[in-house]
Amino acid sequence: MARLVLPCVLAGLLVRAIAGAQAAPPLMISEFRFRGPNGSSDEFVEIYNNGDAPLTVSSGGGSPGFGVVASDGLLRCTIPNGTIIPARGHFLCVNGAGYSLTGYPAGSSTAAGDATYTTSIDDNVGIALFNTALAGNFTLANRLDAVGPTTEINTIYREGSGYTPVAVASVEFSIVRRTDAVTGLPIDTGNNATDFRVVATNASASLSTASLGAPGPENLTGPVDAGAAIAPSLVAPCVADAAAPNMVRTGSGNTGTLSIRQKFTNNTGRDVTRLRCRIVDVTTAPAPDAMTAILAAATSTTATEATPCGGGTVAIRGLTLETPPAQALGGGFNSSLSAPVTQVAPLPPNASINVNYLMNVSQAGTFRFFVLVEALPSGRGLYEVSGSTNGPVLFTPTPMTTTTATRTPTRTPTPTATPTPTRTPTPSATTTSTPTPSPTPTQTRTSTPTRTPTRSATPTTTSTPIPSSTSTPTPPMLTTTPTSTPSVTPSISMTPTPTPTVTPSPPPTATPMFAIGSDFHTLTPCRIADTRDPPGPLGGPALVAGLPRSFPVAGVCGVPVTAKAVAVNVTAVGPTAAGFLTLYPAGGSPPSASTLNFRAGIVRANNAVTRVGGGGQIAVVYGVASGPATTHFVLDVSGYFE
């Protein structure tokens, strides 16, 4: 998978673009609803081809095609044999008696149903997609995908525990599959509660579980997110990311707007005749706290502004918030913004267009904004930015729960507990270190992250010394404090190789902030990943700043597939810039606190307990204040929770 990372900081914002694809899994249900403003018949089910090649429907056994079925056992729609669903494209099944979103834009037409039905699906029941349309064959063996609430008794029509039932209200809403923040692909963990979110144009006013957003049904003619990259870059690369015309903040506090301008370049090799951006992640209403920004996308207008790069002016094109449905509060999750690119006025190969994302600010604070680029005949681009409406902050993996107005090269780490002894890389040659008692951190909330270890080191002369280090993180806010003694032994080796050993340490006093399982099982310390090894799932290349990477842990080093969390030792080797590593469950969102902080050019290690995410993997992201950077990453496991 090709990935492009743009090391740009917009008032502390990291801009990331990722292009590429992965192996194709089966068709999946990507969006649906069981009622709308027209009542119980205002419903649709959207099917997504999660593959990089067109899929031709072919069902055997005399079946006319694939079937969309509700848990009452009645077939609603058939995807006929011979139907070609484009790579990363959609098939739309609608209730012809009440579907009200026919006017939503698609490709050169609108989002009319590709197949219709007239028997309404009851509120909060499961639906499933089968590789057959024959009623006697709606079995688990023939199921391709399913989604249902926790109240659905028939497990064929839901995955995992199911989503929380949605309040019955005839409003503009839908239930949308979440998007992975690394790949831009739909998340499918096998648990509907994790994989889907509820969005509504009035946020949680009618549906308590909903976020601000809009239904966006897509059919066979709609723009797709597959193919070559449509890469973003700065409108004015010669100036700071936070300077005009790259970013403009009007108003202050809980008022005004935030405009982020980006240039998109057509690298598909063909004319692009349709270009739009779908919002897949954003800080919006309702906000989780008073420190998180509430943004809502709005239609922007085309403007011509002076550019500091060589003088003259630059044209910045407006984006249209697509309707229906009307979005009086602005756009949120799943809303789409259309660029002025058409069959009559296409974007030629290698040509670029500058666009303006205009967001109304109703609550100031830290924010994130993540869009997926959809295009015809092909698209596939990701654009993510995070920062603060109040001023510079570090790049922070989503979701961000604290804010600071002072740029700092480190972040406050979250202490983690593990019942196993602390494992740290130790030198292979004789070294002498003088431990210094760790100062006792205060439990006072502070707006600027700090690090508190006191270091003392006495290196000895050796040809290839291998450093040993542990660190004592400062607990954020009011969490408890683990006891450990920091020590750092500098190294003059250009290629340090940490060797794990077991070093007894006092029992930690911190308690994990999440349910990780009731039983802990120790393992013989085992190395899961080392990016200094040849390229592979558990080897190289080195981590690139701002680009998360997932590593499989289930099934490796004795960790079973039933493990809910793992006790690990995390090591950064030779980072090219000061920064931090954050570990989190793959497929989820990174927390706002780091796992390990470090300076450039050193080896630093720390213990952590990390939940296991989708596919039995954990993810790691390398954050820096600004600029490109890399670091090698070593991950050792010593136990797991079940």
Side-chain angles (χ1 to χ4, degrees), residues 55-117:
L55 186 147
T56 301
V57 174
S58 178
S59 180
S63 170
F66 292 172
V68 176
V69 185
S71 62
D72 57 10
L74 299 180
L75 177 72
R76 293 315 197 273
C77 279
T78 298
I79 308 177
N81 288 331
T83 301
I84 300 175
I85 303 178
R88 306 290 171 193
H90 302 82
F91 184 94
L92 186 60
C93 176
V94 307
N95 188 329
Y99 174 64
S100 65
L101 295 172
T102 302
Y104 177 72
S108 58
S109 58
T110 57
D114 297 308
T116 62
Y117 61 96

Side-chain angles (χ1 to χ4, degrees), residues 153-300:
I153 298 175
N154 190 339
T155 57
I156 293 178
Y157 293 89
R158 62 173 165 83
E159 290 186 350
S161 59
Y163 63 85
T164 301
V166 178
V168 177
S170 296
V171 297
E172 289 288 9
F173 87 101
S174 68
I175 302 174
V176 184
R177 188 176 288 273
R178 297 172 186 265
T179 298
D180 186 274
V182 178
T183 65
L185 301 178
I187 294 175
D188 188 6
T189 66
N191 186 357
N192 297 151
T194 302
D195 297 344
F196 287 85
R197 76 168 79 247
V198 182
V199 301
T201 56
N202 64 355
S204 58
S206 301
L207 308 176
S208 61
T209 58
S211 299
L212 181 66
E218 300 188 78
N219 61 14
L220 287 171
T221 71
V224 297
D225 59 340
I230 296 180
S233 58
L234 290 176
V235 168
C238 66
V239 297
D241 308 75
N246 292 327
M247 189 183 79
V248 176
R249 170 79 159 100
T250 67
S252 61
N254 299 336
T255 62
T257 63
L258 178 69
S259 292
I260 300 175
R261 281 74 176 268
Q262 278 291 297
K263 174 187 291 185
F264 284 96
T265 302
N266 176 12
N267 294 327
T268 66
R270 296 177 288 178
D271 282 353
V272 168
T273 59
R274 181 81 161 88
L275 181 66
R276 73 178 174 193
C277 299
R278 185 171 299 278
I279 302 172
V280 294
D281 197 9
V282 63
T283 51
T284 191
D289 52 54
M291 296 176 291
T292 301
I294 297 179
L295 304 180
T299 294
S300 58

Side-chain angles (χ1 to χ4, degrees), residues 34 63 235 277 286 334 433 503 508 521 581 595:
F34 40 75
S63 170
V235 168
C277 299
N334 203 48
S433 62
T503 304
H521 306 271
L581 295 179
T595 305

